[in-house]
């Protein structure tokens, strides 16, 4: 059994960690750059306030991510760029979109409706739990 | 100048996530949940607010901003309503993202066929 493990380790596909980190740094950086660019374009062209245009920016990114996932080539991009696309809000939209696409055959209620937050539900649950506990601590300390 | 800061900050967050993904056994689901909690933690003393003021859009795009907005909305309602403000204001700022995700996902799922 040990011999098997050694041979298996020899033939495992090697992941170049430095290359992966570099790719996700560049990809994440480009996403951040685009986000700021969209905000400044909206502020200059449509005379929106900074808060409004950042909300429009998030909606635009979610729209693009959902569109690309439903057309089928966002999965390939995610395997290529990994965390560069998972950490921004596009990863959240991608997980919702892909789990609801997978469950489409099971019908409207028990398929799409109940499976939509299969993967992304953990983000909302732990976000709300941690936000409540931390917010309560901050409130009790005082001076918000 | 904010464009350069956005590039660096968002890239750095993604780099940290990729390093955690490569060197430990955590899955992407673990990492996104972890980053939300980190974002929520950074906001209790308004550190993330000052980051957003300097960096701009690059700090609002990563998933850490989701946790930040949860805490920010909850805390801003406590000054008016007391403890119950934590319950009332939790989704004030993040509602846009969640509603947009649900709407787009639902309509695109109705239109498109799943590919495998």
């Amino acid at each position: 059994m040990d011999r098997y493990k050694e041979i298996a380790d020899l033939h495992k596909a090697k992941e170049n960690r430095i290359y992966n980190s570099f790719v996700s740094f560049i990809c994440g950086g480009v996403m951040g750059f685009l986000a700021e660019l969209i905000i400044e374009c909206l502020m200059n062209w449509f005379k929106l306030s900074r808060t409004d245009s950042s909300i429009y920016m998030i909606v635009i990114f979610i729209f693009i991510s959902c569109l690309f996932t439903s057309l089928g080539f966002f999965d390939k991009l995610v395997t290529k760029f990994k965390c560069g696309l998972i950490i921004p809000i596009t990863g959240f939209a991608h997980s919702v979109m892909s789990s609801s696409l997978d469950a489409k055959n099971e019908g409207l209620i028990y398929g799409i409706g109940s499976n939509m937050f299969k993967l992304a539900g953990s983000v909302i649950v732990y976000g709300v739990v941690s936000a409540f506990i931390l917010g309560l601590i901050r409130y009790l300390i005082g001076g918000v | 100048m904010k464009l350069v800061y956005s590039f660096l900050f968002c890239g750095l967050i993604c780099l940290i996530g990729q390093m955690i993904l490569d060197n430990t056994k955590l899955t992407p689901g673990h990492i996104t949940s972890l980053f939300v909690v980190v974002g929520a933690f950074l906001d209790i003393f308004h550190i993330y607010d000052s980051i957003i003021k300097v960096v701009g859009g690059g700090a609002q795009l990563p998933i850490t901003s989701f946790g930040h907005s949860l805490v920010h909305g909850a805390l801003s309602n406590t000054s008016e309503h007391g403890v119950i403000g934590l319950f009332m204001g939790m989704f004030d700022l993040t509602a846009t993202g969640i509603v947009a995700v649900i709407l787009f996902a639902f309509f695109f799922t109705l239109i498109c066929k799943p590919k495998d």
Side-chain angles (χ1 to χ4, degrees), chain A residues 87, chain B residues 9-10 13 35-72:
Chain A
I87 300 293
Chain B
F9 184 81
C10 199
I13 299 266
F35 271 76
V36 170
V37 177
V38 168
F41 178 75
L42 280 180
D43 195 61
I44 49 173
F45 292 106
H46 303 298
I47 301 171
Y48 208 87
D49 277 336
S50 37
I51 293 177
I52 284 181
K53 221 171 258 173
V54 177
V55 174
Q60 282 168 314
L61 190 66
I63 199 78
T64 42
S65 161
F66 188 78
H68 145 77
S69 325
L70 285 174
V71 173
H72 197 88

Side-chain angles (χ1 to χ4, degrees), chain B residues 15-103:
Chain B
L15 178 69
I16 295 169
Q18 183 64 40
M19 281 165 107
I20 297 172
L21 186 70
D22 277 348
N23 294 318
T24 59
K25 285 182 180 172
L26 300 178
T27 59
H30 286 100
I31 293 173
T32 41
S33 308
L34 185 74
F35 271 76
V36 170
V37 177
V38 168
F41 178 75
L42 280 180
D43 195 61
I44 49 173
F45 292 106
H46 303 298
I47 301 171
Y48 208 87
D49 277 336
S50 37
I51 293 177
I52 284 181
K53 221 171 258 173
V54 177
V55 174
Q60 282 168 314
L61 190 66
I63 199 78
T64 42
S65 161
F66 188 78
H68 145 77
S69 325
L70 285 174
V71 173
H72 197 88
L75 280 182
S76 60
N77 267 31
T78 51
S79 54
E80 231 179 284
H81 301 283
V83 182
I84 205 71
L86 287 176
F87 293 81
M88 291 166 70
M90 187 73 86
F91 285 109
D92 267 7
L93 300 169
T94 48
T96 333
I98 295 174
V99 170
V101 163
I102 292 175
L103 284 180

Side-chain angles (χ1 to χ4, degrees), chain A residues 17 20-21 24-25 28-29 31-32 36 54-55 71 82-83 87 89 96-97 100-101 104 122-123 127 134 138-139, chain B residues 3 6-7 10-11 13 15 17-18 23 33 36 44 56-57 60-61 63 70 82-83 96 101 108-109 112 114-115:
Chain A
R17 286 175 185 173
N20 276 349
S21 316
S24 57
F25 176 75
M31 301 292 282
E36 178 63 25
S54 63
I55 289 171
L71 293 177
K82 296 195 176 73
C83 269
I87 300 293
I89 198 87
V96 172
M97 188 69 210
S100 84
L101 263 184
K104 191 189 176 184
S122 64
V123 171
L134 292 169
R138 182 75 178 99
Y139 179 70
Chain B
L3 291 168
S6 293
F7 183 87
C10 199
I13 299 266
L15 178 69
Q18 183 64 40
N23 294 318
S33 308
V36 170
I44 49 173
Q60 282 168 314
L61 190 66
I63 199 78
L70 285 174
V83 182
T96 333
V101 163
F108 282 135
T109 310
C112 295
K115 289 174 187 170

